[in-house]
Amino acid sequence: MRPAWITWQVHRRTREIARAMGFALHELLPDRAGPGKYPSLVGRTLRVLRRRRPTHLIVQCPSVVLGVLAATLRPLLGFRLIADLHNEAVQPFNYSGAAYLAAIRRIHRSADLGLVTNAGLETTVENNGGHPFVLPDRIPCLTPALRELNDRRVTFVCTYAPDEPWREVLKASSLLPPGTTVAVTGRPPREAELLAGSRVHLTGFLDDDNYVDLLASSAVIMDLTAMPDCLVCGGYEAVALGRPLVTSDTAALRSYFRRGTVYTSHAPVALAAAVEHALGRRSELERQVPVLASELRSDWDARASTLARLLEEM
């Protein structure tokens, strides 16, 4: 078996899975923005395929363009296709155009296997004629520099995407007790700068080392989504760092992050109450996180072994 994983963006999930399973990872990053990036990306992808001649090709979707390209090349080059389907490539929240939805249906149908993070996404892939396999993100190995813990800081993992209730978080910050601060990651739009009160620190873009240091030095990590079947990246990172998590009250998140976690609606009053609850119970929640981490790692190892066996049998 000669597996190769191609992605057109950097993502912690992709790196962790590829490293754990021994897949050769090719991160082909765009050299420009907009549609003009695709000719170069397609050309570089074809060169990797020509050089590697993989028996199994894994692609990260999104990019949906990469997924459609791989589906088109599959019968021509004879590789087995595994599509790692992030939420926007299963139940899109940000895109609803007919062409986009047709593209993800084609990817589901063409892939020999579609990796999804949780059981809530399986039905959609099956209904589109695909073959889903549940593989959550691997709990990452994070190595922060030594930094003093700020026991009144909450870090909100944010990219200002449409599914993230960042406006509500900024409003909730004004309801928190004096001395509590909320660090919000990501490049803030102008509206966020206007809404941020004195207890909010807009970090702007952080490189990975500074991002991990910020999380590790925070008393509580918060990651929220309006997507019903989404397992948030900040949740995996909180588990890796042994930090309590505040997250959205969905069935998927309750089932997976079942210890060391406070669940909440997105109303500002509810968010503020959840943060206060997490800070007040921090010691208790922190004792639960290593237990959860052990459970999740054991489950992931078992799923990864099953996936490896399936790929060998293809």
Side-chain angles (χ1 to χ4, degrees):
M1 185 174 72
R2 298 188 308 277
W5 193 318
I6 294 178
T7 175
W8 290 354
Q9 59 181 289
V10 173
H11 199 284
R12 197 185 301 281
R13 168 182 170 85
T14 300
R15 287 183 170 181
E16 290 287 340
I17 297 176
R19 181 165 61 87
M21 301 196 69
F23 297 152
L25 177 60
H26 303 271
E27 294 177 332
L28 309 179
L29 305 182
D31 52 11
R32 68 187 69 184
K37 66 187 177 184
Y38 290 116
S40 171
L41 288 171
V42 170
R44 291 158 65 194
T45 298
L46 293 174
R47 286 194 290 274
V48 169
L49 294 176
R50 188 181 306 117
R51 184 176 72 251
R52 297 284 306 186
R53 298 188 180 278
T55 57
H56 298 68
L57 176 64
I58 307 99
V59 294
Q60 179 186 317
C61 300
S63 167
V64 168
V65 175
L66 173 59
V68 170
L69 174 65
T72 302
L73 294 174
R74 178 184 174 277
L76 300 175
L77 300 182
F79 52 72
R80 296 295 188 180
L81 176 59
I82 298 91
D84 185 36
L85 302 169
H86 297 210
N87 283 68
E88 282 296 314
V90 183
Q91 297 173 353
F93 188 91
N94 301 323
Y95 304 101
S96 58
Y100 186 91
L101 297 177
I104 63 173
R105 286 194 296 269
R106 182 181 179 191
I107 295 167
H108 296 177
R109 188 170 60 250
S110 300
D112 295 279
L113 211 59
L115 307 183
V116 295
T117 61
N118 64 90
L121 302 174
E122 284 184 293
T123 302
T124 300
V125 177
E126 288 175 343
N127 289 344
N128 289 334
H131 308 282
F133 182 89
V134 175
L135 185 70
D137 288 24
R138 186 171 182 260
I139 301 301
C141 179
L142 304 178
T143 54
L146 292 176
R147 181 174 289 192
E148 184 178 355
L149 177 70
N150 184 331
D151 61 7
R152 298 302 298 176
R153 179 200 287 144
V154 177
T155 292
F156 174 41
V157 177
C158 181
T159 62
Y160 299 94
D163 67 296
E164 298 171 341
W166 56 268
R167 295 175 182 86
E168 289 82 354
V169 171
L170 296 181
K171 293 175 183 176
S173 68
S174 65
L175 306 176
L176 294 172
T180 306
T181 60
V182 179
V184 184
T185 67
R187 292 188 177 92
R190 178 61 177 160
E191 183 184 355
E193 295 174 346
L194 294 173
L195 286 175
S198 59
R199 297 173 188 170
V200 174
H201 170 49
L202 303 177
T203 70
F205 173 78
L206 298 172
D207 62 30
D208 197 58
D209 288 343
N210 284 312
Y211 172 72
V212 170
D213 284 350
L214 175 66
L215 295 184
S217 64
S218 300
V220 170
I221 295 171
M222 178 162 56
D223 200 346
L224 306 164
T225 179
M227 302 174 76
D229 292 313
C230 178
L231 298 183
V232 291
C233 294
Y236 299 111
E237 292 159 348
V239 173
L241 294 168
R243 292 289 177 263
L245 173 68
V246 172
T247 195
S248 304
D249 191 3
T250 69
L253 289 167
R254 276 187 174 270
S255 175
Y256 193 80
F257 297 107
R258 53 191 175 270
R259 304 181 195 274
T261 304
V262 176
Y263 315 99
T264 178
S265 73
H266 296 163
V269 172
L271 288 169
V275 167
E276 285 193 66
H277 186 62
L279 289 171
R281 294 178 54 212
R282 182 167 64 87
S283 296
E284 175 191 348
L285 294 171
E286 282 183 345
R287 289 193 293 270
Q288 297 175 16
V289 178
V291 179
L292 176 62
S294 178
E295 294 172 349
L296 296 182
R297 288 189 173 105
S298 294
D299 178 73
W300 195 92
D301 288 344
R303 291 178 185 274
S305 295
T306 301
L307 175 60
R309 187 172 65 251
L310 287 174
L311 297 181
E312 288 285 358
E313 292 171 353
M314 281 182 177

